[in-house]
């Protein structure tokens, strides 16, 4: 395997992974990763480890991985004849963010920083805290002061220090990035570090395996910072380029109506975010991101897939949470957004998969 290299998608600046700053030094934007995935042998997966590390040919970290908590391989269950749900809330820390957090913690373990910092609205911070605990790394997580007490309690339980930041998600990210500039600090950013995306892409590799070497016609994902969507796009591109799938699914991106800058830009036909998109409070706090740093990449990925953006109002989020609970699935409000969106979306003969990303125990009922 060629050694992975960071590359800035905006200006093509490159940097070695083991000596790079947390962002592009020229534009302060997020990194992509130059990495050539190998073909995963579908017929040989049966005897492999029961975690996302079973797709080792597709991952940029090789060799023994002591940080793992057995993340991945979550169930795929039908909700209707056309829509199935992937139960990523059954991860070790009860959210899909474990897929990327294990990659960041393992990378940090190999780089041996003095400390790890992260920022989050809750789930990513919890996941990073848990995997840093597993790796024996000191960790500080910056969260908005209004974050669910159940989430901050979980972060602290893993031994991480919690920094409560007055203000919104943007203010929290700014505080963490200031800390990340300090020497000896590894910024475990689920937005800026592309290793996180190479973890979330295993969501699609699992679908591909579970469906016998194919993918559904539509993959629906909630989008705030876009980490699951961009990971899904990565996996689809890799599987297609290696000849492991012949058709690419459409990506349907879901936002809360209250905070929907990407949906606004998509339907306006623009390549980037509008200058001043209005926002309002939303139950879907995990995707309430007014200005995601990877906005251009997210918009391009959805357009290239032939997909679209959908938005859901607060009453449909509440109703979707109760509906899933009545089906035996207790999911947090952010995690039900995709099911809320698909309730009225015509699919025809196509099949779709929605992720149930976080457990209801983290937040309670909306």
């Amino acid at each position: 395997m060629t050694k992975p290299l960071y590359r800035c998608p905006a200006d093509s600046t490159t940097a070695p992974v083991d000596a790079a700053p947390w962002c592009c030094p020229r534009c302060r934007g997020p990194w992509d990763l130059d990495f050539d995935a190998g073909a995963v042998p579908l017929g040989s997966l049966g005897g492999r480890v029961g975690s996302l590390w079973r797709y080792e040919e597709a991952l940029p970290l090789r060799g023994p991985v002591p940080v793992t908590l057995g993340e991945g391989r979550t169930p795929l269950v039908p909700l209707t004849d056309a829509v199935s749900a992937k139960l990523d809330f059954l991860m070790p820390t009860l959210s899909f963010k474990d897929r990327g957090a294990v990659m960041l913690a393992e990378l940090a373990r190999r780089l041996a920083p003095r400390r790890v910092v992260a920022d989050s609205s809750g789930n990513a911070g919890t996941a990073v805290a848990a995997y840093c605990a597993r790796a024996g790394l000191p960790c500080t997580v910056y969260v908005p002061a209004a974050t669910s007490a159940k989430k901050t309690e979980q972060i602290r339980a893993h031994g991480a220090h919690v920094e409560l930041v007055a203000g919104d998600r943007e203010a929290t990210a700014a505080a963490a990035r200031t800390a990340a500039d300090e020497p000896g600090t590894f910024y475990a950013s689920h937005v800026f570090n592309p290793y996180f995306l190479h973890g979330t892409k295993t969501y699609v590799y699992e679908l591909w395996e579970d469906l016998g070497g194919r993918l559904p016609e539509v993959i629906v994902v909630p989008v705030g910072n876009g980490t699951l969507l961009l990971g899904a796009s990565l996996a689809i591109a890799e599987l297609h380029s290696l000849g492991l799938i012949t058709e690419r699914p459409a990506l349907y991106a879901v936002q809360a109506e209250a905070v929907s800058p990407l949906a606004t830009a998509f339907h306006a036909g623009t390549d980037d975010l509008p200058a001043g998109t209005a926002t309002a409070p939303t139950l879907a706090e995990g995707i309430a991101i007014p200005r995601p740093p990877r906005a251009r990449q997210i918009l391009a990925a959805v357009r290239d897939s032939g997909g679209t953006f959908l938005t859901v109002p607060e009453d449909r989020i509440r109703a979707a949470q109760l509906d899933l609970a009545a089906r035996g699935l207790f999911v947090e409000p952010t995690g039900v957004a995709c099911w809320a969106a698909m309730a009225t979306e015509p699919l025809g003969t196509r099949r779709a998969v929605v992720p149930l990303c976080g457990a209801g125990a983290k937040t309670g009922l909306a």
Side-chain angles (χ1 to χ4, degrees), residues 7-8 123 143 192 220 267 321 346:
R7 182 180 299 276
C8 175
N123 285 339
V143 300
F192 277 74
V220 191
H267 292 297
Q321 188 185 34

mmCIF file of all heavy atoms in Angstrom, residues 7-8 123 143 192 220 267 321 346:
data_model
loop_
_atom_site.group_PDB
_atom_site.id
_atom_site.type_symbol
_atom_site.label_atom_id
_atom_site.label_comp_id
_atom_site.label_asym_id
_atom_site.label_seq_id
_atom_site.Cartn_x
_atom_site.Cartn_y
_atom_site.Cartn_z
ATOM 1 N N ARG A 7 -4.211 15.845 1.236
ATOM 2 C CA ARG A 7 -4.283 16.779 0.116
ATOM 3 C C ARG A 7 -5.469 17.709 0.323
ATOM 4 O O ARG A 7 -6.562 17.269 0.659
ATOM 5 C CB ARG A 7 -4.423 16.047 -1.212
ATOM 6 C CG ARG A 7 -4.462 16.981 -2.433
ATOM 7 C CD ARG A 7 -4.607 16.220 -3.742
ATOM 8 N NE ARG A 7 -3.486 15.325 -3.946
ATOM 9 C CZ ARG A 7 -2.315 15.696 -4.484
ATOM 10 N NH1 ARG A 7 -2.143 16.963 -4.847
ATOM 11 N NH2 ARG A 7 -1.353 14.826 -4.658
ATOM 12 N N CYS A 8 -5.243 19.009 0.115
ATOM 13 C CA CYS A 8 -6.324 19.984 0.249
ATOM 14 C C CYS A 8 -7.181 19.983 -1.011
ATOM 15 O O CYS A 8 -6.648 20.172 -2.114
ATOM 16 C CB CYS A 8 -5.752 21.373 0.492
ATOM 17 S SG CYS A 8 -7.009 22.680 0.528
ATOM 18 N N ASN A 123 -22.544 13.316 19.967
ATOM 19 C CA ASN A 123 -22.235 11.943 19.587
ATOM 20 C C ASN A 123 -20.790 11.739 19.148
ATOM 21 O O ASN A 123 -20.157 10.750 19.530
ATOM 22 C CB ASN A 123 -23.176 11.472 18.480
ATOM 23 C CG ASN A 123 -24.563 11.154 18.993
ATOM 24 O OD1 ASN A 123 -24.758 10.912 20.178
ATOM 25 N ND2 ASN A 123 -25.542 11.157 18.106
ATOM 26 N N VAL A 143 -18.003 21.077 23.651
ATOM 27 C CA VAL A 143 -19.403 20.915 23.262
ATOM 28 C C VAL A 143 -20.169 22.202 23.555
ATOM 29 O O VAL A 143 -19.802 22.964 24.460
ATOM 30 C CB VAL A 143 -20.084 19.738 24.010
ATOM 31 C CG1 VAL A 143 -19.385 18.423 23.733
ATOM 32 C CG2 VAL A 143 -20.151 20.002 25.508
ATOM 33 N N PHE A 192 -12.589 17.831 9.717
ATOM 34 C CA PHE A 192 -11.359 18.212 9.029
ATOM 35 C C PHE A 192 -10.440 17.035 8.731
ATOM 36 O O PHE A 192 -9.637 17.098 7.800
ATOM 37 C CB PHE A 192 -10.599 19.260 9.858
ATOM 38 C CG PHE A 192 -11.108 20.660 9.653
ATOM 39 C CD1 PHE A 192 -12.305 21.067 10.205
ATOM 40 C CD2 PHE A 192 -10.399 21.575 8.884
ATOM 41 C CE1 PHE A 192 -12.796 22.351 10.009
ATOM 42 C CE2 PHE A 192 -10.877 22.856 8.675
ATOM 43 C CZ PHE A 192 -12.075 23.253 9.241
ATOM 44 N N VAL A 220 -30.095 7.007 1.825
ATOM 45 C CA VAL A 220 -30.578 8.235 2.456
ATOM 46 C C VAL A 220 -29.723 8.516 3.691
ATOM 47 O O VAL A 220 -29.504 7.618 4.508
ATOM 48 C CB VAL A 220 -32.060 8.091 2.874
ATOM 49 C CG1 VAL A 220 -32.638 9.442 3.272
ATOM 50 C CG2 VAL A 220 -32.886 7.471 1.760
ATOM 51 N N HIS A 267 -31.019 23.393 -4.034
ATOM 52 C CA HIS A 267 -32.207 23.691 -4.836
ATOM 53 C C HIS A 267 -32.105 25.044 -5.565
ATOM 54 O O HIS A 267 -32.831 25.279 -6.534
ATOM 55 C CB HIS A 267 -33.452 23.620 -3.965
ATOM 56 C CG HIS A 267 -33.753 22.221 -3.497
ATOM 57 N ND1 HIS A 267 -34.065 21.201 -4.365
ATOM 58 C CD2 HIS A 267 -33.752 21.671 -2.253
ATOM 59 C CE1 HIS A 267 -34.259 20.077 -3.680
ATOM 60 N NE2 HIS A 267 -34.079 20.334 -2.405
ATOM 61 N N GLN A 321 -40.071 9.810 15.328
ATOM 62 C CA GLN A 321 -39.480 9.176 16.507
ATOM 63 C C GLN A 321 -40.487 8.252 17.186
ATOM 64 O O GLN A 321 -40.165 7.113 17.553
ATOM 65 C CB GLN A 321 -38.968 10.235 17.490
ATOM 66 C CG GLN A 321 -38.172 9.611 18.642
ATOM 67 C CD GLN A 321 -37.754 10.624 19.683
ATOM 68 O OE1 GLN A 321 -38.484 11.591 19.958
ATOM 69 N NE2 GLN A 321 -36.585 10.425 20.285
ATOM 70 N N PRO A 346 -41.887 9.507 -2.761
ATOM 71 C CA PRO A 346 -42.201 8.382 -3.661
ATOM 72 C C PRO A 346 -40.922 7.715 -4.178
ATOM 73 O O PRO A 346 -39.997 8.389 -4.621
ATOM 74 C CB PRO A 346 -42.967 9.056 -4.802
ATOM 75 C CG PRO A 346 -42.498 10.472 -4.799
ATOM 76 C CD PRO A 346 -42.201 10.815 -3.363
#
